[in-house]
Amino acid sequence: MMDSIDLQSKLLSIRNKEKNVLDQAYKILSKEQPTNKFDFDKLESNNIFHVSHIRNICIDYRLRFLDLNRFKGTIPDEAHEKINSLEKLHQTQIKDFKIMAPSKLFKLDSTDDPLLFAPLGNNYYFLIHKWGNDMSPMRRAIVWPFKNIVNMCISLILISLVLTWLMPLHLFNPNPTMSDFLLIFLFVFKSIAAVAIFYGFALGKNFNRAIWDSRYFNS
C-alpha cells in the first residue's frame, strides 16, 4: 500500500530546498504594504509559502489556486476557528482568501484535501488550514501527461508502443517484421493522438502549467 500524499508536507519540501526563504519574505514584507496586516513575528513560519511553491504543487498534481468565493465545497468549522484566532492574535480582519484544491472542488462538493491560504503580500501566502483526505499517491502519475506538451507526447508514444506490442501482428502478416511493427505503431500513434487532440479541443482542456490559477471551466 502506498502512503497518501500530504500536500502541506510537499509544500514544505519544495520551500526547504531554497535557502533563506523566510528571511527574504520578512525583508520584502516589512518594506511593503501587506494585503493582510499580520505581525510577522507571530506567524507560524512553517505555514509561509511563496506563490512559486504553490504553483509547483498545482502543476505536479493538476490543482487550482483560486479565490475562496469560487470554492463550492464546505469550509470546516476548524478553519473558521483558526481564522478567528488569527484575527484576534494579530488584531486585524483577514481578507482575500485563496484555496488550493482539485478543479472539481470549485464546482462540486467533495473531500479531496483543500488548503486555505491568506495573502501576506508580494506573492507570499500563509497557510491557515488543510482539511479532507490526503491526496492519492497515484494522482501525480495520472496527471503527469497533462503537465506539458512534452509529457503528453511521451505518454502517447509509450501507450502506442504498448498497444502495438499487444497486437497479434500475425493477423496482418504471417511473418511480421520490424517494418510491420513500425507501420502498425505509426497507425496506432496517429489514432491515439487524434483522439487526444479531439478531446483537448472539444472540451477546451489545457496543460497543468496553464490552468493552475485559471478561473475558467474550459481550461
Side-chain angles (χ1 to χ4, degrees), residues 146-176:
F146 306 102
K147 191 171 183 179
N148 52 51
I149 186 65
V150 174
N151 289 21
M152 177 61 73
C153 290
I154 292 173
S155 301
L156 293 177
I157 290 172
L158 291 176
I159 292 172
S160 300
L161 283 172
V162 171
L163 291 178
T164 304
W165 180 75
L166 292 174
M167 279 188 176
L169 298 184
H170 64 274
L171 293 178
F172 304 98
N173 188 338
N175 300 301

PDB file of all heavy atoms in Angstrom, residues 146-176:
ATOM      1  N   PHE A 146      -0.495  15.471 -18.522  1.00  0.00           N
ATOM      2  CA  PHE A 146      -1.124  16.776 -18.755  1.00  0.00           C
ATOM      3  C   PHE A 146      -0.263  17.940 -18.269  1.00  0.00           C
ATOM      4  O   PHE A 146      -0.702  19.091 -18.340  1.00  0.00           O
ATOM      5  CB  PHE A 146      -2.489  16.826 -18.066  1.00  0.00           C
ATOM      6  CG  PHE A 146      -3.399  15.702 -18.452  1.00  0.00           C
ATOM      7  CD1 PHE A 146      -3.570  14.619 -17.601  1.00  0.00           C
ATOM      8  CD2 PHE A 146      -4.063  15.711 -19.662  1.00  0.00           C
ATOM      9  CE1 PHE A 146      -4.400  13.562 -17.957  1.00  0.00           C
ATOM     10  CE2 PHE A 146      -4.898  14.668 -20.025  1.00  0.00           C
ATOM     11  CZ  PHE A 146      -5.060  13.584 -19.167  1.00  0.00           C
ATOM     12  N   LYS A 147       0.938  17.633 -17.795  1.00  0.00           N
ATOM     13  CA  LYS A 147       1.798  18.682 -17.255  1.00  0.00           C
ATOM     14  C   LYS A 147       2.253  19.648 -18.343  1.00  0.00           C
ATOM     15  O   LYS A 147       2.261  20.861 -18.156  1.00  0.00           O
ATOM     16  CB  LYS A 147       3.002  18.053 -16.557  1.00  0.00           C
ATOM     17  CG  LYS A 147       3.827  19.013 -15.735  1.00  0.00           C
ATOM     18  CD  LYS A 147       4.864  18.269 -14.916  1.00  0.00           C
ATOM     19  CE  LYS A 147       5.655  19.217 -14.035  1.00  0.00           C
ATOM     20  NZ  LYS A 147       6.660  18.507 -13.204  1.00  0.00           N
ATOM     21  N   ASN A 148       2.651  19.123 -19.500  1.00  0.00           N
ATOM     22  CA  ASN A 148       3.075  19.960 -20.617  1.00  0.00           C
ATOM     23  C   ASN A 148       3.043  19.139 -21.903  1.00  0.00           C
ATOM     24  O   ASN A 148       2.769  17.929 -21.879  1.00  0.00           O
ATOM     25  CB  ASN A 148       4.478  20.556 -20.381  1.00  0.00           C
ATOM     26  CG  ASN A 148       5.500  19.499 -20.023  1.00  0.00           C
ATOM     27  OD1 ASN A 148       5.636  18.490 -20.724  1.00  0.00           O
ATOM     28  ND2 ASN A 148       6.213  19.692 -18.915  1.00  0.00           N
ATOM     29  N   ILE A 149       3.342  19.768 -23.028  1.00  0.00           N
ATOM     30  CA  ILE A 149       3.248  19.110 -24.337  1.00  0.00           C
ATOM     31  C   ILE A 149       4.261  17.978 -24.480  1.00  0.00           C
ATOM     32  O   ILE A 149       3.980  16.952 -25.104  1.00  0.00           O
ATOM     33  CB  ILE A 149       3.426  20.152 -25.479  1.00  0.00           C
ATOM     34  CG1 ILE A 149       3.186  19.499 -26.849  1.00  0.00           C
ATOM     35  CG2 ILE A 149       4.790  20.797 -25.415  1.00  0.00           C
ATOM     36  CD1 ILE A 149       1.769  19.018 -27.067  1.00  0.00           C
ATOM     37  N   VAL A 150       5.448  18.131 -23.879  1.00  0.00           N
ATOM     38  CA  VAL A 150       6.471  17.084 -23.962  1.00  0.00           C
ATOM     39  C   VAL A 150       5.990  15.825 -23.250  1.00  0.00           C
ATOM     40  O   VAL A 150       6.093  14.712 -23.779  1.00  0.00           O
ATOM     41  CB  VAL A 150       7.802  17.578 -23.360  1.00  0.00           C
ATOM     42  CG1 VAL A 150       8.820  16.443 -23.319  1.00  0.00           C
ATOM     43  CG2 VAL A 150       8.358  18.740 -24.173  1.00  0.00           C
ATOM     44  N   ASN A 151       5.464  15.982 -22.036  1.00  0.00           N
ATOM     45  CA  ASN A 151       4.941  14.839 -21.291  1.00  0.00           C
ATOM     46  C   ASN A 151       3.814  14.156 -22.041  1.00  0.00           C
ATOM     47  O   ASN A 151       3.703  12.930 -22.051  1.00  0.00           O
ATOM     48  CB  ASN A 151       4.442  15.289 -19.918  1.00  0.00           C
ATOM     49  CG  ASN A 151       5.568  15.664 -18.980  1.00  0.00           C
ATOM     50  OD1 ASN A 151       6.667  15.960 -19.420  1.00  0.00           O
ATOM     51  ND2 ASN A 151       5.294  15.668 -17.685  1.00  0.00           N
ATOM     52  N   MET A 152       2.956  14.958 -22.679  1.00  0.00           N
ATOM     53  CA  MET A 152       1.853  14.389 -23.436  1.00  0.00           C
ATOM     54  C   MET A 152       2.352  13.536 -24.604  1.00  0.00           C
ATOM     55  O   MET A 152       1.877  12.413 -24.829  1.00  0.00           O
ATOM     56  CB  MET A 152       0.942  15.507 -23.953  1.00  0.00           C
ATOM     57  CG  MET A 152      -0.212  15.025 -24.827  1.00  0.00           C
ATOM     58  SD  MET A 152      -1.332  13.898 -23.963  1.00  0.00           S
ATOM     59  CE  MET A 152      -2.178  15.030 -22.867  1.00  0.00           C
ATOM     60  N   CYS A 153       3.335  14.044 -25.337  1.00  0.00           N
ATOM     61  CA  CYS A 153       3.887  13.300 -26.482  1.00  0.00           C
ATOM     62  C   CYS A 153       4.552  12.000 -26.030  1.00  0.00           C
ATOM     63  O   CYS A 153       4.372  10.945 -26.649  1.00  0.00           O
ATOM     64  CB  CYS A 153       4.893  14.166 -27.234  1.00  0.00           C
ATOM     65  SG  CYS A 153       4.147  15.542 -28.131  1.00  0.00           S
ATOM     66  N   ILE A 154       5.322  12.082 -24.944  1.00  0.00           N
ATOM     67  CA  ILE A 154       5.977  10.877 -24.415  1.00  0.00           C
ATOM     68  C   ILE A 154       4.932   9.843 -24.006  1.00  0.00           C
ATOM     69  O   ILE A 154       5.077   8.647 -24.295  1.00  0.00           O
ATOM     70  CB  ILE A 154       6.878  11.237 -23.212  1.00  0.00           C
ATOM     71  CG1 ILE A 154       8.067  12.074 -23.680  1.00  0.00           C
ATOM     72  CG2 ILE A 154       7.373   9.981 -22.505  1.00  0.00           C
ATOM     73  CD1 ILE A 154       8.919  12.605 -22.545  1.00  0.00           C
ATOM     74  N   SER A 155       3.873  10.304 -23.358  1.00  0.00           N
ATOM     75  CA  SER A 155       2.819   9.392 -22.915  1.00  0.00           C
ATOM     76  C   SER A 155       2.125   8.729 -24.102  1.00  0.00           C
ATOM     77  O   SER A 155       1.865   7.522 -24.082  1.00  0.00           O
ATOM     78  CB  SER A 155       1.788  10.150 -22.072  1.00  0.00           C
ATOM     79  OG  SER A 155       2.395  10.729 -20.946  1.00  0.00           O
ATOM     80  N   LEU A 156       1.832   9.505 -25.135  1.00  0.00           N
ATOM     81  CA  LEU A 156       1.169   8.951 -26.321  1.00  0.00           C
ATOM     82  C   LEU A 156       2.059   7.920 -27.017  1.00  0.00           C
ATOM     83  O   LEU A 156       1.575   6.879 -27.483  1.00  0.00           O
ATOM     84  CB  LEU A 156       0.814  10.072 -27.292  1.00  0.00           C
ATOM     85  CG  LEU A 156      -0.260  11.060 -26.820  1.00  0.00           C
ATOM     86  CD1 LEU A 156      -0.454  12.167 -27.846  1.00  0.00           C
ATOM     87  CD2 LEU A 156      -1.576  10.341 -26.571  1.00  0.00           C
ATOM     88  N   ILE A 157       3.354   8.196 -27.060  1.00  0.00           N
ATOM     89  CA  ILE A 157       4.295   7.255 -27.679  1.00  0.00           C
ATOM     90  C   ILE A 157       4.354   5.953 -26.889  1.00  0.00           C
ATOM     91  O   ILE A 157       4.309   4.846 -27.456  1.00  0.00           O
ATOM     92  CB  ILE A 157       5.691   7.886 -27.792  1.00  0.00           C
ATOM     93  CG1 ILE A 157       5.684   8.998 -28.847  1.00  0.00           C
ATOM     94  CG2 ILE A 157       6.744   6.835 -28.158  1.00  0.00           C
ATOM     95  CD1 ILE A 157       6.962   9.812 -28.895  1.00  0.00           C
ATOM     96  N   LEU A 158       4.442   6.054 -25.560  1.00  0.00           N
ATOM     97  CA  LEU A 158       4.524   4.859 -24.723  1.00  0.00           C
ATOM     98  C   LEU A 158       3.251   4.024 -24.811  1.00  0.00           C
ATOM     99  O   LEU A 158       3.305   2.790 -24.914  1.00  0.00           O
ATOM    100  CB  LEU A 158       4.792   5.259 -23.269  1.00  0.00           C
ATOM    101  CG  LEU A 158       6.175   5.854 -22.980  1.00  0.00           C
ATOM    102  CD1 LEU A 158       6.265   6.299 -21.519  1.00  0.00           C
ATOM    103  CD2 LEU A 158       7.272   4.844 -23.296  1.00  0.00           C
ATOM    104  N   ILE A 159       2.109   4.692 -24.764  1.00  0.00           N
ATOM    105  CA  ILE A 159       0.836   3.968 -24.878  1.00  0.00           C
ATOM    106  C   ILE A 159       0.739   3.275 -26.230  1.00  0.00           C
ATOM    107  O   ILE A 159       0.309   2.115 -26.326  1.00  0.00           O
ATOM    108  CB  ILE A 159      -0.351   4.934 -24.687  1.00  0.00           C
ATOM    109  CG1 ILE A 159      -0.394   5.449 -23.246  1.00  0.00           C
ATOM    110  CG2 ILE A 159      -1.675   4.240 -25.032  1.00  0.00           C
ATOM    111  CD1 ILE A 159      -1.405   6.559 -23.024  1.00  0.00           C
ATOM    112  N   SER A 160       1.157   3.964 -27.286  1.00  0.00           N
ATOM    113  CA  SER A 160       1.108   3.380 -28.636  1.00  0.00           C
ATOM    114  C   SER A 160       2.035   2.177 -28.751  1.00  0.00           C
ATOM    115  O   SER A 160       1.685   1.169 -29.384  1.00  0.00           O
ATOM    116  CB  SER A 160       1.496   4.443 -29.673  1.00  0.00           C
ATOM    117  OG  SER A 160       0.619   5.539 -29.633  1.00  0.00           O
ATOM    118  N   LEU A 161       3.213   2.279 -28.148  1.00  0.00           N
ATOM    119  CA  LEU A 161       4.158   1.148 -28.174  1.00  0.00           C
ATOM    120  C   LEU A 161       3.582  -0.074 -27.462  1.00  0.00           C
ATOM    121  O   LEU A 161       3.677  -1.201 -27.959  1.00  0.00           O
ATOM    122  CB  LEU A 161       5.479   1.558 -27.526  1.00  0.00           C
ATOM    123  CG  LEU A 161       6.415   2.421 -28.362  1.00  0.00           C
ATOM    124  CD1 LEU A 161       7.591   2.913 -27.519  1.00  0.00           C
ATOM    125  CD2 LEU A 161       6.939   1.645 -29.578  1.00  0.00           C
ATOM    126  N   VAL A 162       2.970   0.158 -26.308  1.00  0.00           N
ATOM    127  CA  VAL A 162       2.394  -0.953 -25.548  1.00  0.00           C
ATOM    128  C   VAL A 162       1.248  -1.599 -26.326  1.00  0.00           C
ATOM    129  O   VAL A 162       1.164  -2.837 -26.436  1.00  0.00           O
ATOM    130  CB  VAL A 162       1.893  -0.467 -24.171  1.00  0.00           C
ATOM    131  CG1 VAL A 162       1.096  -1.563 -23.475  1.00  0.00           C
ATOM    132  CG2 VAL A 162       3.068  -0.043 -23.299  1.00  0.00           C
ATOM    133  N   LEU A 163       0.363  -0.785 -26.877  1.00  0.00           N
ATOM    134  CA  LEU A 163      -0.770  -1.323 -27.639  1.00  0.00           C
ATOM    135  C   LEU A 163      -0.302  -2.073 -28.882  1.00  0.00           C
ATOM    136  O   LEU A 163      -0.849  -3.128 -29.233  1.00  0.00           O
ATOM    137  CB  LEU A 163      -1.719  -0.190 -28.031  1.00  0.00           C
ATOM    138  CG  LEU A 163      -2.507   0.457 -26.884  1.00  0.00           C
ATOM    139  CD1 LEU A 163      -3.360   1.601 -27.407  1.00  0.00           C
ATOM    140  CD2 LEU A 163      -3.386  -0.585 -26.192  1.00  0.00           C
ATOM    141  N   THR A 164       0.712  -1.545 -29.548  1.00  0.00           N
ATOM    142  CA  THR A 164       1.252  -2.219 -30.737  1.00  0.00           C
ATOM    143  C   THR A 164       1.876  -3.553 -30.357  1.00  0.00           C
ATOM    144  O   THR A 164       1.706  -4.567 -31.056  1.00  0.00           O
ATOM    145  CB  THR A 164       2.303  -1.331 -31.424  1.00  0.00           C
ATOM    146  OG1 THR A 164       1.725  -0.075 -31.739  1.00  0.00           O
ATOM    147  CG2 THR A 164       2.802  -1.984 -32.712  1.00  0.00           C
ATOM    148  N   TRP A 165       2.601  -3.566 -29.236  1.00  0.00           N
ATOM    149  CA  TRP A 165       3.247  -4.791 -28.770  1.00  0.00           C
ATOM    150  C   TRP A 165       2.211  -5.859 -28.411  1.00  0.00           C
ATOM    151  O   TRP A 165       2.438  -7.059 -28.603  1.00  0.00           O
ATOM    152  CB  TRP A 165       4.119  -4.467 -27.564  1.00  0.00           C
ATOM    153  CG  TRP A 165       4.843  -5.662 -27.007  1.00  0.00           C
ATOM    154  CD1 TRP A 165       5.931  -6.297 -27.535  1.00  0.00           C
ATOM    155  CD2 TRP A 165       4.504  -6.376 -25.810  1.00  0.00           C
ATOM    156  NE1 TRP A 165       6.307  -7.351 -26.746  1.00  0.00           N
ATOM    157  CE2 TRP A 165       5.444  -7.428 -25.680  1.00  0.00           C
ATOM    158  CE3 TRP A 165       3.519  -6.218 -24.841  1.00  0.00           C
ATOM    159  CZ2 TRP A 165       5.404  -8.328 -24.613  1.00  0.00           C
ATOM    160  CZ3 TRP A 165       3.480  -7.119 -23.782  1.00  0.00           C
ATOM    161  CH2 TRP A 165       4.421  -8.156 -23.679  1.00  0.00           C
ATOM    162  N   LEU A 166       1.051  -5.432 -27.900  1.00  0.00           N
ATOM    163  CA  LEU A 166      -0.008  -6.367 -27.509  1.00  0.00           C
ATOM    164  C   LEU A 166      -0.805  -6.889 -28.699  1.00  0.00           C
ATOM    165  O   LEU A 166      -1.504  -7.900 -28.581  1.00  0.00           O
ATOM    166  CB  LEU A 166      -0.962  -5.696 -26.518  1.00  0.00           C
ATOM    167  CG  LEU A 166      -0.384  -5.364 -25.132  1.00  0.00           C
ATOM    168  CD1 LEU A 166      -1.392  -4.569 -24.323  1.00  0.00           C
ATOM    169  CD2 LEU A 166       0.007  -6.637 -24.399  1.00  0.00           C
ATOM    170  N   MET A 167      -0.696  -6.206 -29.827  1.00  0.00           N
ATOM    171  CA  MET A 167      -1.468  -6.621 -31.007  1.00  0.00           C
ATOM    172  C   MET A 167      -0.911  -7.911 -31.615  1.00  0.00           C
ATOM    173  O   MET A 167       0.308  -8.096 -31.695  1.00  0.00           O
ATOM    174  CB  MET A 167      -1.430  -5.520 -32.076  1.00  0.00           C
ATOM    175  CG  MET A 167      -2.407  -4.408 -31.830  1.00  0.00           C
ATOM    176  SD  MET A 167      -2.468  -3.277 -33.242  1.00  0.00           S
ATOM    177  CE  MET A 167      -3.770  -2.180 -32.714  1.00  0.00           C
ATOM    178  N   PRO A 168      -1.793  -8.801 -32.047  1.00  0.00           N
ATOM    179  CA  PRO A 168      -1.339 -10.017 -32.754  1.00  0.00           C
ATOM    180  C   PRO A 168      -0.950  -9.669 -34.196  1.00  0.00           C
ATOM    181  O   PRO A 168      -1.777  -9.728 -35.109  1.00  0.00           O
ATOM    182  CB  PRO A 168      -2.576 -10.919 -32.686  1.00  0.00           C
ATOM    183  CG  PRO A 168      -3.733  -9.971 -32.597  1.00  0.00           C
ATOM    184  CD  PRO A 168      -3.247  -8.776 -31.838  1.00  0.00           C
ATOM    185  N   LEU A 169       0.302  -9.306 -34.395  1.00  0.00           N
ATOM    186  CA  LEU A 169       0.737  -8.831 -35.711  1.00  0.00           C
ATOM    187  C   LEU A 169       0.619  -9.897 -36.799  1.00  0.00           C
ATOM    188  O   LEU A 169       0.562  -9.573 -37.992  1.00  0.00           O
ATOM    189  CB  LEU A 169       2.194  -8.348 -35.636  1.00  0.00           C
ATOM    190  CG  LEU A 169       2.461  -7.165 -34.689  1.00  0.00           C
ATOM    191  CD1 LEU A 169       3.922  -6.737 -34.779  1.00  0.00           C
ATOM    192  CD2 LEU A 169       1.554  -5.996 -35.028  1.00  0.00           C
ATOM    193  N   HIS A 170       0.590 -11.158 -36.377  1.00  0.00           N
ATOM    194  CA  HIS A 170       0.494 -12.226 -37.391  1.00  0.00           C
ATOM    195  C   HIS A 170      -0.847 -12.195 -38.131  1.00  0.00           C
ATOM    196  O   HIS A 170      -0.997 -12.823 -39.189  1.00  0.00           O
ATOM    197  CB  HIS A 170       0.700 -13.596 -36.731  1.00  0.00           C
ATOM    198  CG  HIS A 170      -0.366 -13.956 -35.742  1.00  0.00           C
ATOM    199  ND1 HIS A 170      -0.323 -13.567 -34.412  1.00  0.00           N
ATOM    200  CD2 HIS A 170      -1.527 -14.670 -35.897  1.00  0.00           C
ATOM    201  CE1 HIS A 170      -1.397 -14.032 -33.800  1.00  0.00           C
ATOM    202  NE2 HIS A 170      -2.141 -14.692 -34.675  1.00  0.00           N
ATOM    203  N   LEU A 171      -1.816 -11.473 -37.582  1.00  0.00           N
ATOM    204  CA  LEU A 171      -3.093 -11.339 -38.284  1.00  0.00           C
ATOM    205  C   LEU A 171      -2.935 -10.482 -39.535  1.00  0.00           C
ATOM    206  O   LEU A 171      -3.712 -10.594 -40.486  1.00  0.00           O
ATOM    207  CB  LEU A 171      -4.145 -10.708 -37.356  1.00  0.00           C
ATOM    208  CG  LEU A 171      -4.583 -11.548 -36.152  1.00  0.00           C
ATOM    209  CD1 LEU A 171      -5.585 -10.770 -35.313  1.00  0.00           C
ATOM    210  CD2 LEU A 171      -5.199 -12.872 -36.620  1.00  0.00           C
ATOM    211  N   PHE A 172      -1.941  -9.607 -39.538  1.00  0.00           N
ATOM    212  CA  PHE A 172      -1.692  -8.736 -40.683  1.00  0.00           C
ATOM    213  C   PHE A 172      -0.639  -9.334 -41.620  1.00  0.00           C
ATOM    214  O   PHE A 172      -0.667  -9.090 -42.819  1.00  0.00           O
ATOM    215  CB  PHE A 172      -1.211  -7.364 -40.201  1.00  0.00           C
ATOM    216  CG  PHE A 172      -2.147  -6.705 -39.238  1.00  0.00           C
ATOM    217  CD1 PHE A 172      -1.923  -6.782 -37.867  1.00  0.00           C
ATOM    218  CD2 PHE A 172      -3.269  -6.025 -39.683  1.00  0.00           C
ATOM    219  CE1 PHE A 172      -2.790  -6.176 -36.967  1.00  0.00           C
ATOM    220  CE2 PHE A 172      -4.139  -5.423 -38.801  1.00  0.00           C
ATOM    221  CZ  PHE A 172      -3.908  -5.508 -37.438  1.00  0.00           C
ATOM    222  N   ASN A 173       0.272 -10.093 -41.029  1.00  0.00           N
ATOM    223  CA  ASN A 173       1.342 -10.710 -41.816  1.00  0.00           C
ATOM    224  C   ASN A 173       1.769 -11.992 -41.108  1.00  0.00           C
ATOM    225  O   ASN A 173       2.136 -11.954 -39.935  1.00  0.00           O
ATOM    226  CB  ASN A 173       2.525  -9.750 -41.938  1.00  0.00           C
ATOM    227  CG  ASN A 173       3.582 -10.253 -42.913  1.00  0.00           C
ATOM    228  OD1 ASN A 173       3.675 -11.448 -43.198  1.00  0.00           O
ATOM    229  ND2 ASN A 173       4.385  -9.326 -43.423  1.00  0.00           N
ATOM    230  N   PRO A 174       1.729 -13.147 -41.782  1.00  0.00           N
ATOM    231  CA  PRO A 174       2.109 -14.406 -41.133  1.00  0.00           C
ATOM    232  C   PRO A 174       3.531 -14.372 -40.549  1.00  0.00           C
ATOM    233  O   PRO A 174       3.813 -15.046 -39.560  1.00  0.00           O
ATOM    234  CB  PRO A 174       2.010 -15.437 -42.269  1.00  0.00           C
ATOM    235  CG  PRO A 174       1.060 -14.830 -43.240  1.00  0.00           C
ATOM    236  CD  PRO A 174       1.294 -13.358 -43.172  1.00  0.00           C
ATOM    237  N   ASN A 175       4.393 -13.606 -41.161  1.00  0.00           N
ATOM    238  CA  ASN A 175       5.767 -13.476 -40.676  1.00  0.00           C
ATOM    239  C   ASN A 175       6.083 -11.995 -40.460  1.00  0.00           C
ATOM    240  O   ASN A 175       6.757 -11.362 -41.278  1.00  0.00           O
ATOM    241  CB  ASN A 175       6.754 -14.086 -41.679  1.00  0.00           C
ATOM    242  CG  ASN A 175       6.490 -15.563 -41.902  1.00  0.00           C
ATOM    243  OD1 ASN A 175       6.521 -16.354 -40.973  1.00  0.00           O
ATOM    244  ND2 ASN A 175       6.216 -15.939 -43.161  1.00  0.00           N
ATOM    245  N   PRO A 176       5.573 -11.432 -39.362  1.00  0.00           N
ATOM    246  CA  PRO A 176       5.749  -9.999 -39.133  1.00  0.00           C
ATOM    247  C   PRO A 176       7.212  -9.617 -38.949  1.00  0.00           C
ATOM    248  O   PRO A 176       7.996 -10.344 -38.344  1.00  0.00           O
ATOM    249  CB  PRO A 176       4.947  -9.750 -37.850  1.00  0.00           C
ATOM    250  CG  PRO A 176       4.863 -11.075 -37.172  1.00  0.00           C
ATOM    251  CD  PRO A 176       4.827 -12.093 -38.282  1.00  0.00           C
TER     252      PRO A 176
END
